[in-house]
Structures are given as C-alpha cells and as structure tokens.
Amino acid sequence: MIRQAGLMLAAALAATGCHPSRGGHAAAGDLSVTHAVIPAPPSTAEASAFLVISNGGASDVALTGALTPAADSVLLHRLVGGLMQPSAPLTVPAHGFVKLGPGGYHLMLEGLKHPLAVGDTVTLALQFGSGAAIAVRVPVLNYTDAVSELPLR
C-alpha cells in the first residue's frame, strides 16, 4: 500500500512537471523559506544563495540580514544593469513571497572560510525586521541543478 502511494505521488509529480525539492526549507511563524540552494561557486572567496521567502502574515516583513558560520559576511545583492550592487532590506509582502535567484536579488556569502563543493551543506540564519529569524540548511548543488530547484513564478 505504501509502495503504491509512493508510485502514485511520483506519477502525479511527473505529470505536472514538478519534482520534489532538494533545496533547504524552514519556517518560523508566518514566514517560510523554501527552495534554498547555493550553486557551487567558481570562486573560493564567495558564493551566491538563492531561495524563496513566503509571508503568510497580514503585515509586510523586511529581510534585514543573514549570517552563516561558512563566511565572514552575508549581504543582500541585486543585479542592476548587469552589475551586482548591495541592496537595502527587501520587503516580503503580506500574503506574498519574494524569490531570490539569478538575475535579480540574491544573497552573497563573502569571505568563505573554506571552498564550497557539490554535496556540502551551509546553514544560513535569515533575520527579519519583525524580530523573526529562520535558520535553514542549504545544499550546494551544481549550477544547473540549483537553478532548476527554483520555482518559475
């Protein structure tokens, strides 16, 4: 019976073009983080992190920062005119979401304490203006796999 249910789930996911996420996920209160991934960086000094933050609450919440033991600092960046620029806090709208991914907003882990490779996992602690914090374990994947983990929306 369990095997049959598993096969039915796999068939349903295949039919809809979806797949189970390998990205990290965590939640605290009305906030959740899903699809968290780090593409294996070509640099030993820095890496990007991509993820989706959802806010089920009635008020906007700002992502104000992030920390990780894997790097000296984590900064919110965005791509503007082909150039990466540090960004002010990012608003996650009430009953909405923001996607951090290639070509837009993303987190930059700067001053990596050791090179990151496919198969590694990094813990990121996201901090919000509401005082909430979410710690999420983020897998390091090759770039193509990392980008495919992000929803198209």
Side-chain angles (χ1 to χ4, degrees), residues 36-114:
V37 292
I38 295 173
S43 164
T44 59
E46 61 187 18
S48 298
F50 304 149
L51 49 91
V52 176
I53 304 169
S54 298
N55 177 5
S59 300
D60 295 351
V61 177
L63 172 65
T64 58
L67 302 168
T68 181
D72 292 333
S73 64
V74 180
L75 299 174
L76 179 63
H77 280 179
R78 67 184 266 208
L79 201 61
V80 178
L83 299 174
M84 191 168 48
Q85 298 178 349
S87 176
L90 180 62
T91 299
V92 184
H95 304 291
F97 69 94
V98 294
K99 180 171 102 172
L100 284 69
Y105 288 99
H106 57 278
L107 295 174
M108 284 299 300
L109 287 66
E110 298 184 344
L112 291 175
K113 299 196 176 171
H114 59 82

